[in-house]
Amino acid sequence: MDYQTIIHTIENKRRFGSLPGVEVSGKLLAAVGSPQKDLAFIHIAGTNGKGSTAAFLCSILTAAGIKTGLFTSPHLIEFTERIQVNGVQISKEDAARLGQMLLHQKTDVNPAMFDYCLAMALLYFKEQHCSLVILETGLGGRLDSTNVIESPLVSIITKIGYDHTEVLGNTLAEIAGEKAGILKAGTRAVLESQKPEALAVLEGCCKERGIPYRVIHEKEIMPTASGFSYLGEMSYQMKMTGSFQRENALAAVFAAQELQKLGYPVTEDAMHRGIAEAFWNGRMEILCQEPFLMIDGAHNGNGVEALANSLNEQYAGEKFHFIMGVLADKDYQVMTEYILPLAARVTTVTPKSVRALEGEKLAAYIRGFGIEAENKDNLEEVIKTFFTDENKENSSCKTVAFGSLYFVGDIRKFVRQNLYPKGANITQSGACRRQE
């Protein structure tokens, strides 16, 4: 089978099953030699910020000269974004080779799409002789497929909020309990600032299991013109925009400092260069300056709140044209609540997903608050119209597109494949990174 056929087959495997992911992945990995046993890990769980934190840490470790594997999900445009070594994506040839082998592997379980992705990544990282692997959970932590690993060197818990409540629980304490499942005896933990009920669970877990931990206190992070400082002592420049990224960057720094204590050659210079050079596509990414188009993968209430706060900070007093495409299993009412005070008008689109919320339903809901909202059936037409000369002349506000990561990925792909460099001032992104 060729690459496209193999990846299509994997992507169309079931999302969930009757067995917990950790059990399924354990059996699949055992069948192919348990590659995870030959690797050292940094494990990251949380509701929002996992990917950005992983990107910051990958950038730091790469700057330190450490061969680092990175496993994240989902991808924006190409499947190979999920599996990287020092910021370079797995080749399509290697993905096809490993994918085909895994699809033909006999086990007594029925692996889900994510199990195949994880197994492919771990086999590849072992082949590449990675010294460290940054592993992002898919859903939750305790029962997540990635939790098949033994105690990681460092565990990071990013911001916890309400998402996937049908699986993880209806309270922050319950959700935190699931995320805390990655905190195993023998690890060192870095905890981002949390609501009190979530932090209490995480700290209690660390104390019970004898895990040394550090908590980031958001109020002690001070913005600077080009980045942030912490406690007036550590100051970092950063390329990534968004006030929420400062805490993600600091979590990566704290994790790097823990690795330093364990003997890894992570210097202060590597930390500063890594934070300054890191980029993560699809997070407050400005695709175009004239006319202005930003995309953001905010896909739940906490993510949209962080986006709104960042827009308020960076563009104080401005109103925006929002393009929204969200999934029906997300709390779109809460998501909408955060952007309404900033909205001049909204364009809604139905994402290409069986889980999509109908764009007209979302538009009608927004119109109920007295905000101009129009549904468009075709995302490509929305973007084409956006770049017409007439729109450039009449546009009175910046455009921000957000929703599911696949939705903003479709926008990013369309802009870069069809409109660059045809007269638009398209921004070039850096990385540790989802490369083109």
Side-chain angles (χ1 to χ4, degrees), residues 28-41:
L28 177 60
L29 288 168
V32 295
S34 298
Q36 75 277 13
K37 293 186 177 180
D38 297 310
L39 298 165
F41 295 95

Side-chain angles (χ1 to χ4, degrees), residues 346-350 358-361 363 367 373-377:
V346 180
T347 300
T348 63
V349 183
T350 305
E358 289 294 329
E360 180 51 43
K361 179 178 180 179
R367 286 194 293 266
E374 180 183 16
N375 176 60
K376 294 288 188 181
D377 295 328

